[in-house]
Amino acid sequence: MRFLIICRDNIGDTLLTTPLISALAQSGQHQVDVLTNNYAAPVLQHNPDIRQLFYYTKLHHREAGQGRLACLLQRLKLMLTLKKQRYDVVILAKSRWDQHGLKWVKTVRPARVIALGHPHPLITDLLPPPSQSPCHISETLFSLGRPFNLSVTAPGKLTLLPDAAIAASLRDTCAIDPAVPVYALQISARKPSQQWEAARFAGLAEKIAARHPCQIMLLWSPGSRDNPRHPGDDEKAREIMALCPHLPIKAVATTSLPQLIAAMSLCQGLVSSDGGAMHIGAALGLPVVALFGDSDPACWHPWQVNYQVLQPASREVNALSSSEVYDAFAHTITQ
């Protein structure tokens, strides 16, 4: 059968769909195409289980100079392309009800539509959520494959392949010594409750460098914190670097998602707040220390890697000390 998986979600949710994609494609009975948005598309770009990857641009993700009309015309062209594919099955890969994906279903008109959530005339197979509660999002998304008698009954590891050319370029630019471990500190987080302050990251870097021969890679979303469209952490990165002038820190302002993926692929461990970057690290197989604020670790913890979750009772990551995070880091990389 020919499947179209519609995954119009954030980076983390998109990566957590890859065990379902793998199980369908590796069954030997199905061809799997994926529709996503241009923001999340890079995490699926080199996925060997996907026959064709289609993506569109959400209006609020338009680049500077990209007009609204051009964006809509591009989407219309994509709809016509998908209609010609004659898919047997569409899976709405959302862990919660979201009717926006149904716009694409109306265009594709498959024989079957699989979804979790609310009844709708276009949905032929409405599945109940997994009975276990709370349930990891990867397990919830994997349950969308239940109607197809997959040979595996639980989601496997996440799939993510970095761009080899970008990784090689970063290795040279950052003068990475392949004989010395590289540990990544990813300092950006979207939610205020998950934004660990610069001084604590600096204290963590000091402790790691004092106890482990290593290189430390500092990663962040570039740009000023005052940018209303894409707030970044340039100021925070500069503050950390100023506090640690003597440490072996490689500062990498990742200007694109492929660059972030490639940078993490050069590392052997990661400290990050919960979010898309944390799931990228897990998909690359890194041991992860995850700082959780007000999200639920049972649903969102790093999937199928060595990990430690730290979540203070206050649900504010700044309640965590550098010593607490270092202890979790040391435990994780030696497991």
Side-chain angles (χ1 to χ4, degrees):
M1 288 190 291
R2 303 187 69 186
F3 282 73
L4 177 67
I5 297 181
I6 297 178
C7 188
R8 48 176 313 282
D9 221 321
N10 296 322
I11 292 167
D13 305 70
T14 301
L15 277 170
L16 294 173
T17 309
T18 58
L20 170 64
I21 294 170
S22 297
L24 287 168
Q26 294 174 19
S27 70
Q29 304 175 47
H30 310 304
Q31 293 182 342
V32 180
D33 293 352
V34 176
L35 170 66
T36 187
N37 59 73
N38 69 317
Y39 178 71
V43 302
L44 300 175
Q45 197 71 55
H46 303 290
N47 190 312
D49 298 314
I50 298 173
R51 188 181 69 103
Q52 292 187 89
L53 178 64
F54 301 102
Y55 55 89
Y56 67 97
T57 302
K58 292 183 178 181
L59 292 179
H60 64 280
H61 285 161
R62 285 175 293 157
E63 297 293 336
Q66 185 178 16
R68 181 185 179 92
L69 180 58
C71 187
L72 293 173
L73 288 174
Q74 181 189 55
R75 194 178 303 183
L76 178 60
K77 183 179 178 180
L78 176 56
M79 285 181 168
L80 294 174
T81 298
L82 292 174
K83 186 174 183 179
K84 294 175 182 177
Q85 302 297 313
R86 300 186 180 278
Y87 291 107
D88 301 299
V89 180
V90 165
I91 294 179
L92 297 177
K94 292 282 285 189
S95 59
R96 58 200 179 279
W97 174 242
D98 175 23
Q99 65 179 357
H100 294 293
L102 293 173
K103 294 183 295 185
W104 297 94
V105 171
K106 291 176 183 177
T107 298
V108 175
R109 296 192 175 278
R112 297 176 69 179
V113 179
I114 318 295
L116 301 165
H118 297 285
H120 189 280
L122 289 175
I123 298 174
T124 60
D125 298 68
L126 183 67
L127 304 183
S131 55
Q132 177 187 347
S133 181
C135 185
H136 197 277
I137 298 300
S138 63
E139 296 171 308
T140 300
L141 293 167
F142 191 81
S143 71
L144 289 161
R146 285 200 305 258
F148 306 103
N149 298 316
L150 299 176
S151 58
V152 290
T153 57
K157 294 182 178 182
L158 310 184
T159 301
L160 178 61
L161 276 68
D163 185 298
I166 297 176
S169 176
L170 280 171
R171 186 183 293 109
D172 293 340
T173 302
C174 296
I176 299 293
D177 182 348
V180 180
V182 183
Y183 301 124
L185 305 183
Q186 200 289 126
I187 67 173
S188 293
R190 181 172 54 86
K191 295 181 180 180
S193 67
Q194 301 191 158
Q195 295 170 1
W196 208 38
E197 64 187 28
R200 295 175 193 263
F201 270 113
L204 174 62
E206 292 273 6
K207 289 176 172 59
I208 293 174
R211 296 167 173 83
H212 306 270
C214 68
Q215 302 160 95
I216 296 173
M217 185 178 289
L218 195 67
L219 301 171
W220 72 94
S221 299
S224 170
R225 65 168 66 98
D226 298 325
N227 186 324
R229 185 176 176 86
H230 299 293
D233 282 304
D234 287 352
E235 296 92 345
K236 185 175 181 179
R238 284 196 293 269
E239 184 179 353
I240 294 169
M241 295 295 290
L243 290 168
C244 307
H246 54 290
L247 295 186
I249 296 181
K250 318 283 186 180
V252 183
T254 49
T255 57
S256 69
L257 186 52
Q259 191 178 32
L260 174 62
I261 296 167
M264 282 198 188
S265 75
L266 302 175
C267 300
Q268 285 74 51
L270 169 67
V271 177
S272 173
S273 291
D274 169 43
M278 179 196 77
H279 293 294
I280 288 172
L284 292 168
L286 303 185
V288 178
V289 175
L291 313 182
F292 271 73
D294 58 0
S295 50
D296 186 354
C299 297
W300 294 104
H301 67 76
W303 185 248
Q304 292 212 355
V305 293
N306 292 336
Y307 73 92
Q308 291 278 305
V309 163
L310 297 177
Q311 184 178 47
S314 65
R315 300 297 190 265
E316 295 285 340
V317 297
N318 278 319
L320 296 168
S321 69
S322 296
S323 294
E324 288 176 282
V325 178
Y326 171 75
D327 289 343
F329 166 83
H331 178 75
T332 301
I333 64 169
T334 56
Q335 278 187 322

